[in-house]
Amino acid sequence: MDVKALCLGVLAKGPATGYEIKKLIQDGPYQHFIEASFGSIYPSLSRLAAEGLIEARTEPLEGRPDKKIYSLTPQGREAFRSILSRDPPEDKFRSGFLFQMMFADALGPEEKTAKIEGKLAEYRARHARMVEKRTSQPLSEGELFCLGFGESLVTAAIAYLDSHARRSAAPAPSPAPARRVRAGTAR
Amino acid sequence: MDVKALCLGVLAKGPATGYEIKKLIQDGPYQHFIEASFGSIYPSLSRLAAEGLIEARTEPLEGRPDKKIYSLTPQGREAFRSILSRDPPEDKFRSGFLFQMMFADALGPEEKTAKIEGKLAEYRARHARMVEKRTSQPLSEGELFCLGFGESLVTAAIAYLDSHARRSAAPAPSPAPARRVRAGTAR
DNA sequence: TGTTTCATGTAAACCGTTACATGATTCA
DNA sequence: TGAATCATGTAACGGTTTACATGAAACA
């Protein structure tokens, strides 16, 4: 889901400026699933406006750029509905940590345990933030669903890492001989 | 972790061609955590070679391009070790499905349930593939760790979606009034 | 006094995907 | 006969980040 779709989604809930969209993404209920910078939000809004999917009401301000409060046009609402009903792309979990663990035999066992414990702390902090988000303010059904999903995954990650933080101090069972994989076919 | 780091990692386990790296990524134990296309792998290998981190032994073939079997140089091994010991970037879960659920109030309840059930099927299939990978061939410690982590997350996702596939048929409890979020600060 | 908040935007750089080009061999 | 396998690479395109530019007001 690209930044254009994201903007459309936020605006479907109510008018907002580019600045507010950024805020919502990084501090609001979206923070755990999405990120976007000004450098992609502002151009996206311009393009959406050029396509007639959103429109801006400009509010002059002194000492800083005019505030542009965007809202969906009927065509924009229609376009967003179409995005929602499409088949979404596959979910992706990208983890630099897992990458490092994949090749961790090149690392010392203490270094490895330290990394696992670091990630564990990170996930616990993330979990706390999610619980805080969920309980500190009333959320829509969709937001609850997403936060609940996120909490489930984070909880599973914590359990897994916790059970491995202790285990990993032990030496590896076998020296893992060199191995070339014979897998399927490249496309 | 970018494609260059990925290539370095694969080559740290043993020499390989670009074609084989692609195969390993999409069918081997990496398949659930990473993806990369030829369009990024070949240029990455060229750049790594230019930087002296890998070197190629060329094997002439008839009827198709010469095979270039890459292996790590000592500098490459050092560079990879340095990548491994760095603090990894934050883990990211990107989900078009969750995005759609976030705004699913604009969707009919049957459509929503159908989407949840579709994702459920996808995750069950993914889980089966992971179990198959884990049991069908001997894996290194790192690969087991990663697959185990992945299985934990996928299992949690399945449990969550399963418990919500039934619930979501019920009507929403409250009409969810319009709400503007007052969150922290944009950077 | 210095940092954070509000507010928008552009330009360069980066990284990656998709599509294309080539072509023999093996499998169904 | 047609698809898949092996094998490398380039070009065009797309999307995003990072850094920069501007500047007042409020807060600590």
Side-chain angles (χ1 to χ4, degrees):
Chain A
M1 294 299 165
D2 57 16
V3 178
K4 268 165 77 178
L6 175 61
C7 290
L8 243 27
V10 173
L11 295 178
K13 304 252 175 179
T17 67
Y19 190 83
E20 285 168 342
I21 291 174
K22 174 80 194 307
K23 241 183 1 183
L24 274 164
I25 290 170
Q26 71 173 37
D27 305 306
Y30 312 122
Q31 75 182 287
H32 301 285
F33 315 107
I34 275 166
E35 49 191 70
S37 62
F38 285 131
S40 57
I41 291 171
Y42 285 123
S44 291
L45 289 172
S46 301
R47 259 175 280 134
L48 287 169
E51 292 164 20
L53 303 183
I54 64 178
E55 60 191 2
R57 186 167 60 76
T58 301
E59 206 171 87
L61 293 179
E62 289 154 50
R64 56 192 132 137
D66 291 353
K67 200 174 186 172
K68 291 188 183 171
I69 302 157
Y70 289 98
S71 31
L72 282 193
T73 62
Q75 302 97 287
R77 199 161 290 278
E78 193 40 56
F80 184 57
R81 177 177 295 275
S82 141
I83 288 174
L84 279 190
S85 60
R86 275 205 268 287
D87 262 6
E90 268 217 334
D91 289 353
K92 276 167 201 171
F93 179 69
R94 289 292 165 269
S95 170
F97 165 71
L98 235 44
F99 174 86
Q100 293 185 334
M101 288 299 116
M102 184 77 85
F103 303 101
D105 34 350
L107 242 49
E110 345 62 40
E111 217 176 337
K112 191 177 158 192
T113 310
K115 275 194 180 295
I116 294 178
E117 261 150 25
K119 250 318 140 182
L120 196 45
E122 191 183 301
Y123 272 114
R124 286 204 229 265
R126 207 188 270 221
H127 187 260
R129 258 184 301 155
M130 285 176 161
V131 171
E132 207 272 325
K133 263 287 157 249
R134 180 164 51 78
T135 51
S136 68
Q137 57 191 280
L139 295 174
S140 76
E141 214 191 317
E143 289 163 355
L144 270 176
F145 183 92
C146 291
L147 258 178
F149 190 95
E151 277 183 50
S152 291
L153 294 208
V154 169
T155 301
I158 290 170
Y160 187 81
L161 294 181
D162 193 50
S163 81
H164 280 72
R166 280 156 286 165
R167 273 218 278 137
S168 70
S174 69
R179 183 174 52 76
R180 285 290 75 194
V181 175
R182 195 106 304 270
T185 300
R187 243 177 306 154
Chain B
M1 296 300 165
D2 56 17
V3 178
K4 267 165 73 178
L6 176 61
C7 291
L8 243 25
V10 172
L11 295 178
K13 304 251 177 181
T17 65
Y19 190 84
E20 285 168 343
I21 291 174
K22 174 81 195 305
K23 240 184 3 183
L24 274 165
I25 290 169
Q26 69 171 36
D27 306 306
Y30 312 122
Q31 76 182 286
H32 301 285
F33 315 108
I34 273 164
E35 47 191 73
S37 61
F38 285 130
S40 58
I41 291 171
Y42 285 123
S44 291
L45 290 172
S46 302
R47 260 174 280 134
L48 286 169
E51 292 163 20
L53 303 183
I54 64 177
E55 59 192 3
R57 185 168 59 76
T58 301
E59 205 171 88
L61 293 178
E62 288 154 53
R64 56 192 132 135
D66 291 353
K67 202 173 184 172
K68 290 186 184 172
I69 302 158
Y70 290 98
S71 30
L72 282 194
T73 61
Q75 303 96 287
R77 199 162 290 277
E78 193 41 56
F80 185 57
R81 179 178 292 277
S82 139
I83 287 172
L84 278 191
S85 59
R86 273 205 266 289
D87 262 7
E90 269 218 333
D91 290 353
K92 276 167 202 171
F93 178 70
R94 290 290 164 270
S95 169
F97 165 70
L98 235 44
F99 175 86
Q100 294 186 333
M101 286 299 116
M102 184 76 85
F103 302 100
D105 36 349
L107 242 52
E110 343 64 39
E111 217 176 335
K112 192 178 156 189
T113 309
K115 274 190 179 299
I116 294 177
E117 261 149 24
K119 250 319 137 176
L120 197 44
E122 191 183 300
Y123 272 113
R124 285 204 229 265
R126 208 189 271 220
H127 186 261
R129 257 183 303 154
M130 285 176 162
V131 171
E132 207 271 324
K133 264 284 153 238
R134 180 163 52 79
T135 53
S136 69
Q137 57 192 283
L139 296 174
S140 75
E141 213 193 318
E143 289 163 355
L144 270 176
F145 183 92
C146 291
L147 258 178
F149 190 95
E151 276 183 52
S152 291
L153 293 208
V154 170
T155 302
I158 290 170
Y160 187 82
L161 293 180
D162 193 50
S163 80
H164 279 73
R166 282 157 283 165
R167 275 219 277 136
S168 72
S174 68
R179 184 175 52 76
R180 284 292 74 191
V181 176
R182 195 107 302 265
T185 300
R187 243 177 309 156

